[in-house]
Amino acid sequence: MEGEAQEHEAMEFKEEEEEEVTEPVSPTGQYFNSSVLSICVLAVLESEVPIDDSLTMPLLKDVFLPINPRFSSIMVNDKNGEKQWKRVEVQLQNHVNIPIFPIGLSTTSYDNYFNDYISRIARKQFPQSQPLWEIHLVKYPTSKAAGNIIFKLHHALGDGFSLMGALLSCLQRADNPSLSLTFPSLQFPSNPDCSFSKLNITVPKCIGSIFNTISDFGWSLLKSSFVEDSRSPIRSGDEEVQFKPIVISTITFSLDHIKQIKSRLGVTINDVITGIIFYGTRLYMQNVDDKSTNARSTALVLLNTRVISGYRSVKEMVKPDAESPWGNQFGFLHVSVPELTDSRFSKPLECVTIAQEIIQRKRSSLAVNLTGRLLEVLRKFRGPEATAKYIKQTLFNSSMTISNIIGPVDKMALANHPIKGLYFMVVGVPQSLTITMVSYAGKLRVAVGTEKGFMDSQKFKSCMETAFEMVSKSSCEIPSGII
């Protein structure tokens, strides 16, 4: 068996002709697959019907692999020590996993087996001798699905936008496969242009943008280098936290319900969601330790830096001059989680309005762009490993990460398996708490990754549900558009 495994590894590592051109690994790809960071994405598709794996290999070979050369490539160092993507012969059997659980158990028991399984694969490192992805087919029914399909993709392959685009290329509309999937319109607010050539820009906006940029960039430098968040019920401060087991739980909210709250408060959907997350997080902290409600806690909010109106096809993204190219194109904002005073416990809408004010102010600054420039300078003068250490310290010094992706409006199917729900989780992050969100078919799925043995995932989930109920109830007591 050991000899066969070594043979498979050798076959997968087999390089194509020497003269074939390799593709340079992007700087962010190098950071995310370094000696100090190995960050991956788990995308979970919940099937309405039992899993039939007979079409798995043809689907991977004919649909998934052709999406992007990186799915058939490994990272290698060229003669100058620079990392490159090198095409290899993919042994699909090395990438498909079908776990075996005991037969005839209750869905509650299978929930436990599934949770333990996904926690194990979250911690497992990819072998560098094969392409950085794998698929897991869990055929046992849980309380949420008849079966689960898990894609594990290394973040070095691309950001959430790119990877979501890749997965969607494998899926079809459940009601009519001949029609394209549809999405909510994407609108990204633009930063004010302070150049003198733009006559329609007001001086106050420019001054405000400059001030916010200096303030936010300076704070980001301090947070990444010196200022560490307090140890609290959501931050263990363990130096090896990225290697600890995690628990992934999910909460489902109605998008229509969120839109009703949005309309009544006169804010955006993101403001509502962020406010609920902040309020629920502080409720959890107060529940675990009432002295921690004022602890210094910072969230890293990940932002897509593309200026686009919607998803692009994979064919469009891989073009050399693509408007929205494949890859890792995102930045992060340091957002202080509002402290929960006695008055805010009784006025949950304040967390929404505070979230709105913070995000609006930070979006008007160019700190995200400057942070990107800083990372590039670090890479040029100190190398990608030093830059990866800086990013790791940025993550470690904060308490949580929040990221979201917009999913399709239509119900989807994968190889004739109707998809009941989907969610994703970023793993390998040196934090005790990670929150991700994806919209799908009128629902918002919030996934919460917590450090096992340190955080109480069920209590955190309960606090998040309580926060939603309290914000919703409070919003119903005011006229639309007035707080």
Side-chain angles (χ1 to χ4, degrees):
M1 291 295 290
E2 183 178 349
E4 292 179 6
Q6 291 174 345
E7 182 180 352
H8 280 312
E9 181 172 306
M11 289 177 66
E12 188 134 7
F13 198 86
K14 178 184 176 183
E15 298 180 357
E16 295 186 357
E17 295 298 323
E18 195 65 34
E19 63 269 15
E20 183 174 337
V21 178
T22 56
E23 177 190 358
V25 177
S26 69
T28 309
Q30 295 181 57
Y31 310 151
F32 283 168
N33 189 31
S34 63
S35 63
V36 294
L37 281 178
S38 182
I39 298 179
C40 302
V41 177
L42 298 179
V44 182
L45 305 178
E46 297 171 331
S47 176
E48 291 183 356
V49 299
I51 303 293
D52 175 10
D53 63 355
S54 62
L55 295 176
T56 302
M57 294 302 183
L59 183 70
L60 293 175
K61 180 181 178 182
D62 301 330
V63 179
F64 183 75
L65 290 185
I67 288 173
N68 193 290
R70 296 184 190 181
F71 295 143
S72 303
S73 303
I74 60 173
M75 276 193 192
V76 297
N77 292 322
D78 63 15
K79 59 184 179 181
N80 298 318
E82 299 289 333
K83 287 189 175 182
Q84 305 280 333
W85 290 110
K86 183 69 176 179
R87 293 291 293 269
V88 295
E89 181 181 348
V90 181
Q91 303 299 314
L92 290 175
Q93 66 272 23
N94 294 346
H95 296 262
V96 179
N97 302 271
I98 304 176
I100 303 297
F101 299 160
I103 298 174
L105 301 181
S106 65
T107 54
T108 302
S109 296
Y110 283 131
D111 281 345
N112 295 330
Y113 273 97
F114 178 78
N115 292 336
D116 289 343
Y117 182 76
I118 201 169
S119 179
R120 285 200 306 274
I121 66 174
R123 285 183 293 149
K124 185 180 177 183
Q125 299 292 306
F126 277 115
Q128 296 297 306
S129 58
Q130 65 185 41
L132 303 174
W133 64 270
E134 59 191 25
I135 183 172
H136 301 258
L137 306 176
V138 183
K139 296 184 175 183
Y140 303 92
T142 62
S143 58
K144 292 185 174 68
N148 287 272
I149 304 163
I150 307 170
F151 284 86
K152 183 178 180 182
L153 307 164
H154 203 290
H155 228 321
L157 296 170
D159 59 13
F161 186 91
S162 299
L163 298 179
M164 171 64 89
L167 289 182
L168 293 177
S169 298
C170 303
L171 294 153
Q172 299 173 314
R173 277 182 60 155
D175 59 345
N176 189 339
S178 64
L179 297 178
S180 300
L181 292 168
T182 55
F183 298 85
S185 60
L186 299 178
Q187 295 180 340
F188 297 92
S190 58
N191 290 317
D193 186 343
C194 294
S195 63
F196 289 106
S197 61
K198 301 295 183 180
L199 300 179
N200 62 335
I201 297 302
T202 62
V203 172
K205 277 190 176 181
C206 284
I207 293 175
S209 177
I210 292 170
F211 177 80
N212 290 336
T213 297
I214 295 172
S215 173
D216 291 340
F217 183 63
W219 177 238
S220 178
L221 280 176
L222 288 173
K223 283 297 302 174
S224 297
S225 306
F226 308 108
V227 181
E228 186 177 326
D229 272 2
S230 307
R231 295 200 177 199
S232 69
I234 63 169
R235 183 177 183 273
S236 67
D238 191 318
E239 294 282 351
E240 303 295 319
V241 65
Q242 68 266 35
F243 304 116
K244 301 287 185 180
I246 65 169
V247 177
I248 300 175
S249 56
T250 65
I251 315 162
T252 303
F253 298 124
S254 165
L255 274 177
D256 286 339
H257 200 163
I258 294 173
K259 289 175 182 177
Q260 289 173 6
I261 300 173
K262 160 191 169 294
S263 297
R264 287 187 172 276
L265 300 184
V267 297
T268 68
I269 289 178
N270 275 344
D271 295 334
V272 175
I273 296 167
T274 306
I276 289 170
I277 289 174
F278 285 167
Y279 188 52
T281 300
R282 285 297 187 184
L283 286 178
Y284 173 81
M285 294 171 70
Q286 193 270 345
N287 197 295
V288 175
D289 179 5
D290 57 9
K291 296 179 181 178
S292 69
T293 51
N294 297 327
R296 183 176 61 237
S297 300
T298 309
L300 279 180
V301 180
L302 300 187
L303 297 175
N304 185 352
T305 57
R306 295 172 171 85
V307 181
I308 51 174
S309 59
Y311 278 102
R312 297 291 185 263
S313 69
V314 173
K315 287 183 179 180
E316 289 180 282
M317 284 195 284
V318 296
K319 289 180 180 178
D321 57 348
E323 175 192 1
S324 176
W326 181 283
N328 282 290
Q329 296 191 47
F330 62 88
F332 52 79
L333 291 177
H334 284 94
V335 180
S336 297
V337 180
E339 295 181 3
L340 210 53
T341 61
D342 291 338
S343 63
R344 287 177 188 164
F345 270 115
S346 59
K347 297 178 181 178
L349 295 185
E350 284 196 22
C351 278
V352 177
T353 56
I354 291 172
Q356 179 197 31
E357 292 168 2
I358 292 173
I359 292 174
Q360 276 187 345
R361 186 182 68 79
K362 288 185 176 289
R363 278 191 178 278
S364 72
S365 82
L366 301 174
V368 172
N369 307 66
L370 289 180
T371 300
R373 297 286 179 88
L374 173 65
L375 295 180
E376 184 61 21
V377 170
L378 281 175
R379 184 184 69 85
K380 285 183 177 179
F381 289 98
R382 299 185 59 190
E385 284 292 324
T387 310
K389 289 179 181 178
Y390 179 86
I391 294 173
K392 179 189 176 184
Q393 196 63 36
T394 300
L395 292 163
F396 178 76
N397 285 355
S398 302
S399 296
M400 60 194 288
T401 299
I402 303 174
S403 60
N404 68 343
I405 293 176
I406 295 178
V409 173
D410 320 290
K411 291 290 290 290
M412 303 182 295
L414 176 64
N416 299 319
H417 291 71
I419 303 303
K420 183 179 180 181
L422 78 155
Y423 58 94
F424 74 100
M425 178 52 58
V426 182
V427 298
V429 179
Q431 293 174 329
S432 300
L433 175 62
T434 303
I435 298 177
T436 65
M437 293 162 281
V438 61
S439 61
Y440 173 56
K443 303 289 185 182
L444 179 73
R445 193 71 172 273
V446 179
V448 181
T450 55
E451 181 183 345
K452 189 174 184 179
F454 174 71
M455 288 188 65
D456 186 331
S457 61
Q458 289 305 309
K459 182 177 289 185
F460 188 90
K461 178 179 176 180
S462 176
C463 289
M464 203 62 64
E465 291 170 337
T466 298
F468 181 83
E469 291 169 3
M470 293 180 69
V471 168
S472 177
K473 182 180 178 181
S474 297
S475 71
C476 290
E477 296 173 355
I478 59 174
S480 179
I482 301 176
I483 297 181

